Amino acid sequence: MNGHTSPPMTGGKRLRQLLANPSKTVVAPGVHDGITARLALASGAECLYMTGAGTSMSRLGMADLGLATFTDMHQNAAMIAGINPSVPVIADADTGYGGPINVANTVRAYARSGIAGCHIEDQVTEKRCGHLAGKLLVSRDVYFNRLRAACKARDESGSEILIIARTDARAGKDADGNGGFEEAVARLKGAADIGVDALFFEAMQSEEEMKRAIAECPDLPMLLNMVQGGQTPQISNDTANALGFRIVIWPCLGMEALIPAYRNALEVLRKTGKPPVEENLGPKALFEVCGLNELMAFDESVGGKAYKS
Ligand SMILES: C[C@](O)(C(=O)O)[C@H](CC(=O)O)C(=O)O
Protein backbone atom coordinates (compact mmCIF):
# COMPACT_ATOMS: atom_id res chain seq x y z
CA MET A 1 0.00 0.00 0.00
CA ASN A 2 1.46 3.34 -0.95
CA GLY A 3 -1.48 5.35 0.33
CA HIS A 4 -2.54 6.35 -3.17
CA THR A 5 -6.04 5.58 -4.28
CA SER A 6 -7.02 5.32 -7.92
CA PRO A 7 -7.69 8.76 -9.42
CA PRO A 8 -11.34 9.86 -9.32
CA MET A 9 -13.27 9.21 -12.49
CA THR A 10 -13.08 12.19 -14.83
CA GLY A 11 -16.25 13.94 -15.92
CA GLY A 12 -15.71 12.85 -19.53
CA LYS A 13 -15.35 9.22 -18.56
CA ARG A 14 -18.44 9.40 -16.35
CA LEU A 15 -20.51 11.03 -19.08
CA ARG A 16 -19.43 8.36 -21.56
CA GLN A 17 -20.35 5.72 -18.99
CA LEU A 18 -23.83 7.24 -18.51
CA LEU A 19 -24.37 7.42 -22.27
CA ALA A 20 -23.29 3.81 -22.72
CA ASN A 21 -26.69 2.76 -21.36
CA PRO A 22 -28.86 3.11 -24.48
CA SER A 23 -32.11 3.45 -22.56
CA LYS A 24 -30.85 6.32 -20.40
CA THR A 25 -31.30 10.06 -20.88
CA VAL A 26 -28.78 12.23 -19.05
CA VAL A 27 -30.49 15.28 -17.55
CA ALA A 28 -28.37 18.40 -17.04
CA PRO A 29 -29.84 21.42 -15.22
CA GLY A 30 -28.37 24.73 -16.33
CA VAL A 31 -25.95 26.46 -13.97
CA HIS A 32 -24.16 29.74 -14.48
CA ASP A 33 -22.13 30.37 -11.34
CA GLY A 34 -20.83 28.78 -8.17
CA ILE A 35 -24.10 29.12 -6.27
CA THR A 36 -26.29 27.53 -8.93
CA ALA A 37 -23.68 24.80 -9.47
CA ARG A 38 -23.59 24.03 -5.75
CA LEU A 39 -27.38 23.94 -5.53
CA ALA A 40 -27.66 21.63 -8.55
CA LEU A 41 -25.00 19.30 -7.13
CA ALA A 42 -26.75 19.25 -3.75
CA SER A 43 -30.01 18.34 -5.50
CA GLY A 44 -28.30 15.18 -6.75
CA ALA A 45 -27.97 16.22 -10.41
CA GLU A 46 -26.03 13.56 -12.35
CA CYS A 47 -24.70 16.10 -14.85
CA LEU A 48 -24.54 19.91 -15.04
CA TYR A 49 -24.85 22.20 -18.05
CA MET A 50 -22.86 25.43 -18.00
CA THR A 51 -24.89 27.88 -19.99
CA GLY A 52 -23.11 30.45 -22.13
CA ALA A 53 -26.12 32.76 -21.91
CA GLY A 54 -26.01 32.57 -18.13
CA THR A 55 -22.24 33.00 -18.08
CA SER A 56 -22.58 36.14 -20.18
CA MET A 57 -25.42 37.44 -18.00
CA SER A 58 -23.82 36.67 -14.64
CA ARG A 59 -20.17 37.46 -15.37
CA LEU A 60 -20.54 40.34 -17.80
CA GLY A 61 -24.04 41.62 -17.15
CA MET A 62 -24.64 41.22 -20.87
CA ALA A 63 -27.21 39.42 -23.04
CA ASP A 64 -26.24 36.30 -25.00
CA LEU A 65 -24.80 38.04 -28.08
CA GLY A 66 -21.34 36.53 -28.32
CA LEU A 67 -19.72 38.93 -25.85
CA ALA A 68 -18.38 36.24 -23.55
CA THR A 69 -14.82 35.42 -24.59
CA PHE A 70 -12.95 32.14 -24.44
CA THR A 71 -11.41 33.27 -21.14
CA ASP A 72 -14.79 34.13 -19.56
CA MET A 73 -16.27 30.81 -20.60
CA HIS A 74 -13.26 28.68 -19.74
CA GLN A 75 -12.80 30.20 -16.29
CA ASN A 76 -16.46 29.73 -15.43
CA ALA A 77 -16.58 26.17 -16.75
CA ALA A 78 -13.34 25.22 -14.98
CA MET A 79 -14.60 26.61 -11.67
CA ILE A 80 -17.90 24.74 -11.99
CA ALA A 81 -16.24 21.47 -13.08
CA GLY A 82 -13.82 21.72 -10.16
CA ILE A 83 -16.46 21.77 -7.42
CA ASN A 84 -17.19 18.06 -7.76
CA PRO A 85 -14.98 16.63 -10.50
CA SER A 86 -16.82 13.32 -10.60
CA VAL A 87 -20.08 14.93 -11.74
CA PRO A 88 -19.81 15.66 -15.47
CA VAL A 89 -20.20 19.22 -16.71
CA ILE A 90 -21.23 19.90 -20.29
CA ALA A 91 -20.13 23.43 -21.14
CA ASP A 92 -21.12 25.75 -23.93
CA ALA A 93 -18.17 26.54 -26.20
CA ASP A 94 -20.16 28.72 -28.66
CA THR A 95 -18.30 29.00 -31.99
CA GLY A 96 -15.00 27.85 -30.49
CA TYR A 97 -13.87 31.52 -30.42
CA GLY A 98 -12.09 31.88 -33.75
CA GLY A 99 -10.52 29.74 -36.46
CA PRO A 100 -9.49 26.10 -36.19
CA ILE A 101 -6.49 26.77 -33.93
CA ASN A 102 -8.72 28.73 -31.53
CA VAL A 103 -11.26 25.90 -31.52
CA ALA A 104 -8.50 23.38 -30.77
CA ASN A 105 -7.14 25.62 -28.01
CA THR A 106 -10.63 25.83 -26.50
CA VAL A 107 -11.09 22.07 -26.51
CA ARG A 108 -7.63 21.45 -25.03
CA ALA A 109 -8.23 23.97 -22.25
CA TYR A 110 -11.70 22.61 -21.46
CA ALA A 111 -10.29 19.06 -21.41
CA ARG A 112 -7.41 20.02 -19.09
CA SER A 113 -9.93 21.62 -16.74
CA GLY A 114 -11.95 18.42 -16.41
CA ILE A 115 -14.95 19.53 -18.47
CA ALA A 116 -16.83 16.46 -19.66
CA GLY A 117 -18.20 17.75 -22.93
CA CYS A 118 -18.57 20.93 -24.94
CA HIS A 119 -20.64 22.02 -27.89
CA ILE A 120 -19.35 23.88 -30.93
CA GLU A 121 -21.84 25.58 -33.24
CA ASP A 122 -22.07 26.98 -36.76
CA GLN A 123 -23.13 30.56 -36.05
CA VAL A 124 -20.93 33.47 -37.11
CA THR A 125 -18.85 35.26 -34.47
CA GLU A 126 -21.61 37.85 -33.99
CA LYS A 127 -23.73 35.06 -32.57
CA ARG A 128 -26.87 35.15 -30.50
CA CYS A 129 -29.03 32.86 -28.40
CA GLY A 130 -30.26 30.05 -30.65
CA HIS A 131 -33.86 30.98 -29.89
CA LEU A 132 -33.65 34.56 -31.16
CA ALA A 133 -34.57 35.41 -34.75
CA GLY A 134 -32.11 36.38 -37.51
CA LYS A 135 -29.23 33.97 -36.89
CA LEU A 136 -26.42 33.94 -39.45
CA LEU A 137 -24.32 30.85 -40.07
CA VAL A 138 -20.88 30.11 -41.40
CA SER A 139 -20.70 27.85 -44.47
CA ARG A 140 -20.68 24.08 -44.08
CA ASP A 141 -16.93 24.12 -44.92
CA VAL A 142 -16.06 26.54 -42.13
CA TYR A 143 -18.28 24.64 -39.68
CA PHE A 144 -16.72 21.30 -40.58
CA ASN A 145 -13.23 22.78 -40.15
CA ARG A 146 -14.24 23.86 -36.64
CA LEU A 147 -15.43 20.34 -35.86
CA ARG A 148 -12.33 18.69 -37.37
CA ALA A 149 -10.19 20.94 -35.20
CA ALA A 150 -12.26 20.07 -32.12
CA CYS A 151 -12.04 16.32 -32.75
CA LYS A 152 -8.32 16.44 -33.49
CA ALA A 153 -7.67 18.39 -30.29
CA ARG A 154 -9.78 15.87 -28.33
CA ASP A 155 -7.83 12.95 -29.79
CA GLU A 156 -4.42 14.55 -29.29
CA SER A 157 -5.25 15.58 -25.72
CA GLY A 158 -5.78 11.95 -24.71
CA SER A 159 -8.79 13.12 -22.69
CA GLU A 160 -12.31 11.76 -22.85
CA ILE A 161 -14.02 15.08 -23.44
CA LEU A 162 -17.07 14.74 -25.68
CA ILE A 163 -17.36 16.96 -28.71
CA ILE A 164 -20.99 17.86 -29.32
CA ALA A 165 -21.76 19.33 -32.74
CA ARG A 166 -24.48 21.98 -32.59
CA THR A 167 -26.16 23.33 -35.66
CA ASP A 168 -28.27 26.48 -35.70
CA ALA A 169 -29.36 25.87 -39.31
CA ARG A 170 -32.99 25.09 -38.48
CA ALA A 171 -33.66 28.74 -37.61
CA GLY A 172 -30.72 30.41 -39.32
CA LYS A 173 -29.03 30.68 -42.72
CA ASP A 174 -25.58 31.11 -44.20
CA ALA A 175 -24.41 33.79 -46.64
CA ASP A 176 -25.68 31.71 -49.61
CA GLY A 177 -29.14 31.42 -48.05
CA ASN A 178 -28.73 27.79 -46.93
CA GLY A 179 -30.75 27.01 -43.85
CA GLY A 180 -33.78 25.11 -42.55
CA PHE A 181 -34.46 21.59 -41.40
CA GLU A 182 -32.77 19.73 -44.27
CA GLU A 183 -29.66 21.89 -44.04
CA ALA A 184 -29.48 21.17 -40.31
CA VAL A 185 -29.71 17.44 -40.98
CA ALA A 186 -26.96 17.64 -43.63
CA ARG A 187 -24.72 19.54 -41.23
CA LEU A 188 -25.24 17.03 -38.40
CA LYS A 189 -24.64 14.10 -40.75
CA GLY A 190 -21.40 15.74 -41.86
CA ALA A 191 -20.50 16.28 -38.21
CA ALA A 192 -21.08 12.60 -37.46
CA ASP A 193 -18.78 11.63 -40.36
CA ILE A 194 -16.06 13.88 -38.92
CA GLY A 195 -16.15 11.94 -35.66
CA VAL A 196 -17.99 14.06 -33.10
CA ASP A 197 -19.47 12.27 -30.07
CA ALA A 198 -22.98 13.73 -29.92
CA LEU A 199 -25.34 16.01 -31.85
CA PHE A 200 -27.26 19.14 -30.87
CA PHE A 201 -30.09 20.13 -33.24
CA GLU A 202 -30.86 23.66 -32.08
CA ALA A 203 -34.33 25.23 -32.22
CA MET A 204 -36.46 22.31 -33.44
CA GLN A 205 -39.96 23.70 -33.94
CA SER A 206 -42.26 20.78 -33.06
CA GLU A 207 -42.37 17.31 -31.56
CA GLU A 208 -42.66 16.02 -35.12
CA GLU A 209 -39.31 17.64 -35.95
CA MET A 210 -37.76 16.12 -32.84
CA LYS A 211 -38.77 12.66 -34.05
CA ARG A 212 -37.51 13.35 -37.58
CA ALA A 213 -34.19 14.72 -36.32
CA ILE A 214 -33.54 11.56 -34.33
CA ALA A 215 -34.63 9.31 -37.19
CA GLU A 216 -32.28 11.14 -39.60
CA CYS A 217 -29.26 10.89 -37.26
CA PRO A 218 -29.71 7.61 -35.40
CA ASP A 219 -26.07 6.72 -34.78
CA LEU A 220 -25.01 9.32 -32.22
CA PRO A 221 -26.58 10.54 -28.96
CA MET A 222 -28.87 13.51 -29.65
CA LEU A 223 -29.05 16.38 -27.17
CA LEU A 224 -32.29 18.26 -26.55
CA ASN A 225 -32.09 21.93 -25.55
CA MET A 226 -35.10 22.89 -23.43
CA VAL A 227 -35.11 26.68 -23.31
CA GLN A 228 -38.25 27.70 -21.44
CA GLY A 229 -40.35 29.87 -23.77
CA GLY A 230 -37.94 29.23 -26.67
CA GLN A 231 -38.65 27.93 -30.19
CA THR A 232 -38.72 24.26 -29.21
CA PRO A 233 -41.92 23.12 -27.49
CA GLN A 234 -41.24 22.13 -23.91
CA ILE A 235 -41.49 18.42 -23.17
CA SER A 236 -40.65 16.51 -19.99
CA ASN A 237 -37.48 14.51 -19.41
CA ASP A 238 -39.56 11.32 -19.63
CA THR A 239 -41.03 12.30 -23.00
CA ALA A 240 -37.55 13.22 -24.23
CA ASN A 241 -36.39 9.77 -23.19
CA ALA A 242 -39.32 8.12 -24.96
CA LEU A 243 -38.51 10.05 -28.15
CA GLY A 244 -34.89 8.88 -28.01
CA PHE A 245 -32.98 11.94 -26.78
CA ARG A 246 -29.91 10.90 -24.80
CA ILE A 247 -29.10 14.24 -23.13
CA VAL A 248 -31.50 16.99 -22.04
CA ILE A 249 -30.18 20.39 -20.98
CA TRP A 250 -32.27 23.03 -19.19
CA PRO A 251 -29.91 25.99 -19.70
CA CYS A 252 -32.04 28.76 -18.25
CA LEU A 253 -33.38 26.87 -15.22
CA GLY A 254 -31.23 28.79 -12.74
CA MET A 255 -31.81 32.20 -14.31
CA GLU A 256 -35.54 31.61 -14.70
CA ALA A 257 -35.77 30.72 -11.00
CA LEU A 258 -33.51 33.47 -9.68
CA ILE A 259 -34.63 36.50 -11.65
CA PRO A 260 -38.27 36.60 -10.46
CA ALA A 261 -37.26 35.68 -6.89
CA TYR A 262 -34.71 38.48 -6.66
CA ARG A 263 -37.01 40.96 -8.38
CA ASN A 264 -39.64 40.13 -5.79
CA ALA A 265 -37.17 40.53 -2.89
CA LEU A 266 -36.10 43.91 -4.26
CA GLU A 267 -39.70 45.00 -4.55
CA VAL A 268 -40.52 43.92 -0.99
CA LEU A 269 -37.41 45.76 0.28
CA ARG A 270 -38.41 48.88 -1.64
CA LYS A 271 -42.01 48.80 -0.44
CA THR A 272 -41.58 47.72 3.21
CA GLY A 273 -38.00 48.71 4.01
CA LYS A 274 -37.21 45.07 4.91
CA PRO A 275 -36.48 41.93 2.88
CA PRO A 276 -39.12 39.21 2.62
CA VAL A 277 -39.02 37.16 5.84
CA GLU A 278 -38.56 33.78 4.16
CA GLU A 279 -35.36 35.06 2.49
CA ASN A 280 -33.56 35.45 5.84
CA LEU A 281 -31.40 32.33 5.81
CA GLY A 282 -28.61 33.95 7.82
CA PRO A 283 -24.94 33.83 6.93
CA LYS A 284 -24.26 30.29 8.14
CA ALA A 285 -27.02 28.72 6.06
CA LEU A 286 -25.99 30.87 3.11
CA PHE A 287 -22.36 29.76 3.22
CA GLU A 288 -23.32 26.16 3.81
CA VAL A 289 -24.59 26.22 0.22
CA CYS A 290 -20.97 26.72 -0.81
CA GLY A 291 -19.18 24.21 1.40
CA LEU A 292 -18.79 26.04 4.73
CA ASN A 293 -18.89 22.87 6.86
CA GLU A 294 -16.61 20.82 4.59
CA LEU A 295 -14.04 23.62 4.42
CA MET A 296 -13.95 24.06 8.18
CA ALA A 297 -13.76 20.30 8.73
CA PHE A 298 -10.83 20.12 6.32
CA ASP A 299 -9.00 22.84 8.20
CA GLU A 300 -9.51 21.04 11.49
CA SER A 301 -8.49 17.66 10.02
CA VAL A 302 -5.00 18.99 9.26
CA GLY A 303 -4.57 20.60 12.65
CA GLY A 304 -5.98 24.04 11.90
CA LYS A 305 -7.50 25.90 14.82
CA ALA A 306 -8.83 28.97 13.00
CA TYR A 307 -12.35 27.68 12.43
CA LYS A 308 -12.83 25.48 15.52
CA SER A 309 -15.98 26.57 17.33
C1 LIG B 1 -27.93 26.75 -24.82
C2 LIG B 1 -27.46 28.14 -24.92
O1 LIG B 1 -26.43 28.20 -25.87
C3 LIG B 1 -26.87 28.66 -23.61
O2 LIG B 1 -26.07 29.58 -23.70
O3 LIG B 1 -27.24 28.19 -22.56
C4 LIG B 1 -28.56 29.13 -25.31
C5 LIG B 1 -29.67 29.23 -24.34
C6 LIG B 1 -30.41 30.55 -24.41
O4 LIG B 1 -29.79 31.57 -24.78
O5 LIG B 1 -31.58 30.62 -24.05
C7 LIG B 1 -29.03 28.82 -26.72
O6 LIG B 1 -29.92 27.99 -26.91
O7 LIG B 1 -28.49 29.45 -27.65
Side-chain angles (χ1 to χ4, degrees):
M1 287 288 287
N2 60 9
H4 292 286
T5 51
S6 51
M9 188 177 287
T10 63
K13 193 169 193 159
R14 176 76 187 132
L15 185 54
R16 286 177 188 275
Q17 196 181 62
L18 290 170
L19 289 171
N21 174 355
S23 58
K24 178 162 179 61
T25 300
V26 176
V27 176
V31 301
H32 56 264
D33 61 7
I35 299 175
T36 48
R38 287 277 193 174
L39 289 170
L41 288 168
S43 79
E46 61 188 346
C47 183
L48 305 183
Y49 174 69
M50 188 205 76
T51 156
T55 299
S56 182
M57 299 263 282
S58 62
R59 287 174 84 95
L60 309 179
M62 293 291 178
D64 187 14
L65 291 179
L67 285 158
T69 61
F70 158 70
T71 308
D72 297 318
M73 298 287 283
H74 173 233
Q75 284 180 351
N76 207 28
M79 178 274 290
I80 290 167
I83 296 174
N84 182 346
S86 60
V87 175
V89 175
I90 298 173
D92 193 344
D94 296 308
T95 61
Y97 314 107
I101 56 177
N102 303 79
V103 176
N105 189 53
T106 300
V107 170
R108 286 190 202 107
Y110 276 35
R112 276 196 307 272
S113 303
I115 291 145
C118 64
H119 57 79
I120 309 276
E121 74 202 29
D122 53 1
Q123 289 200 57
V124 296
T125 312
E126 297 93 325
K127 60 151 292 173
R128 64 190 68 191
C129 156
H131 296 258
L132 294 176
K135 290 185 292 181
L136 296 175
L137 309 180
V138 295
S139 66
R140 277 193 208 180
D141 277 355
V142 171
Y143 177 46
F144 292 160
N145 288 346
R146 285 180 187 170
L147 297 178
R148 272 188 215 102
C151 290
K152 196 164 182 201
R154 172 200 61 200
D155 296 344
E156 289 176 359
S157 75
S159 86
E160 297 185 82
I161 190 168
L162 279 89
I163 304 300
I164 304 169
R166 160 172 160 173
T167 181
D168 284 72
R170 173 64 187 92
K173 54 177 186 289
D174 69 15
D176 296 324
N178 300 309
F181 188 89
E182 298 307 331
E183 179 66 17
V185 168
R187 286 178 179 231
L188 291 185
K189 286 189 167 165
D193 290 343
I194 287 167
V196 304
D197 302 289
L199 304 174
F200 177 167
F201 196 125
E202 177 67 303
M204 288 171 284
Q205 314 279 311
S206 64
E207 215 168 300
E208 203 39 52
E209 283 196 8
M210 297 181 196
K211 289 182 191 153
R212 279 175 63 205
I214 289 183
E216 292 277 6
C217 307
D219 298 331
L220 285 179
M222 183 72 82
L223 177 152
L224 176 65
N225 181 19
M226 287 282 82
V227 171
Q228 292 120 284
Q231 295 195 20
T232 306
Q234 194 167 306
I235 60 173
S236 71
N237 292 325
D238 283 350
T239 307
N241 175 265
L243 292 179
F245 288 102
R246 305 298 318 286
I247 304 172
V248 184
I249 60 171
W250 294 90
C252 302
L253 192 74
M255 290 186 288
E256 293 272 354
L258 291 171
I259 292 171
Y262 191 51
R263 267 200 187 124
N264 174 59
L266 289 165
E267 191 57 9
V268 173
L269 179 66
R270 191 183 66 79
K271 280 198 179 133
T272 68
K274 285 185 183 166
V277 174
E278 67 272 21
E279 304 295 325
N280 294 340
L281 294 176
K284 189 157 183 299
L286 279 183
F287 300 135
E288 277 170 2
V289 169
C290 286
L292 180 75
N293 294 334
E294 294 80 359
L295 292 166
M296 286 182 164
F298 179 88
D299 187 76
E300 198 179 333
S301 76
V302 297
K305 306 260 183 292
Y307 303 112
K308 250 186 145 182
S309 87

